[in-house]
Amino acid sequence: SGMARMYHSNGLLLPGGMILVTGGGAPGPQANNNAEIYYPPNLYNTSNQPAVRPVITQAPATLSIGLNFSVTVDNGAVFPTSGTVALIKTGAVTHGFNMDQRYIPLTYTRSGTKLTVKAPTSAYVAPPGMYLLFALNKNGVPSWGKLVRMNISATAAAPAAAVQEALAPAAGGFPRRDDPPWTGRLPKSFERKGGFKGREPSPLRGPPPPAPL
């Protein structure tokens, strides 16, 4: 388009696979108080016409970490066995920076038009929140995304505990306030009771270790 999308610009994936691009400048060399929608090449066939999309005809509104879920798709000619099922986190974008729009490919088995899809097994891979569920054919043509919510099931506890243990020092547990790497870095209001609790540390003194989910 020739518009400079600078600071204050935004780019966000839409459920149809298009990209919404907005803003830029304001103030700046350009003040683009406008929006455009970009249509990527994978939405078109070799004749430059809109490609025939897979269709998700049924999907749950809520998913749970570590639990399988069922999805129904249209005919196999549009979505063959070599197709892809994936989650993409709904974006949170401002000032030219997207805080979270992760892509998570999913494994599945198929029986006719029904897919049994395996949800991510760790909340560290798929944090709770809203996602777009896509089915893509072998040419990378996506369905329209279905908005789903990711919850944490009871089965998420084991993977979370495993990651917490991996992050902890060999002696077990989180570093104490008097451990050498953390000496002078944490405020005294932080207490070691199932993870650090208290006020945020000063940015100049460094953050605490990741707290368990």
Side-chain angles (χ1 to χ4, degrees):
S1 68
M3 294 183 182
R5 298 296 180 184
M6 303 169 291
Y7 190 60
H8 291 139
S9 66
N10 297 283
L12 194 65
L13 177 69
L14 299 178
M18 302 82 79
I19 308 296
L20 174 65
V21 184
T22 68
Q30 294 185 21
N32 290 320
N33 299 315
N34 49 55
E36 299 172 289
I37 295 179
Y38 171 64
Y39 291 78
N42 64 317
L43 300 183
Y44 297 88
N45 60 25
T46 55
S47 300
N48 204 32
Q49 297 298 313
V52 178
R53 294 173 179 259
V55 177
I56 297 176
T57 57
Q58 180 277 327
T62 302
L63 310 180
S64 292
I65 290 292
L67 299 183
N68 292 346
F69 61 96
S70 296
V71 174
T72 305
V73 295
D74 58 358
N75 66 80
V78 178
F79 186 78
T81 55
S82 59
T84 300
V85 176
L87 289 170
I88 296 186
K89 185 76 170 63
T90 52
V93 60
T94 181
H95 291 73
F97 176 71
N98 194 336
M99 270 63 76
D100 191 8
Q101 195 162 58
R102 64 188 67 202
Y103 170 80
I104 308 172
L106 304 175
T107 59
Y108 64 90
T109 58
R110 180 172 186 160
S111 177
T113 59
K114 181 180 178 181
L115 309 180
T116 300
V117 186
K118 185 175 180 59
T121 57
S122 170
Y124 290 89
V125 174
M130 304 305 296
Y131 289 78
L132 288 168
L133 175 68
F134 287 96
L136 299 87
N137 67 17
K138 62 182 181 180
N139 297 320
V141 179
S143 65
W144 279 77
K146 292 285 188 179
L147 193 64
V148 298
R149 186 180 69 210
M150 180 65 71
N151 288 339
I152 296 181
S153 71
T155 58
V163 173
Q164 178 181 346
E165 182 177 355
L167 293 174
F174 284 110
R176 300 187 309 276
R177 188 185 300 131
D178 56 350
D179 281 347
W182 300 94
T183 299
R185 294 186 64 189
L186 296 177
K188 292 183 178 180
S189 60
F190 278 86
E191 298 295 339
R192 187 174 179 274
K193 296 179 180 177
F196 288 99
K197 298 179 181 179
R199 63 184 176 84
E200 291 288 334
S202 165
L204 298 179
R205 300 171 68 184
L213 293 180

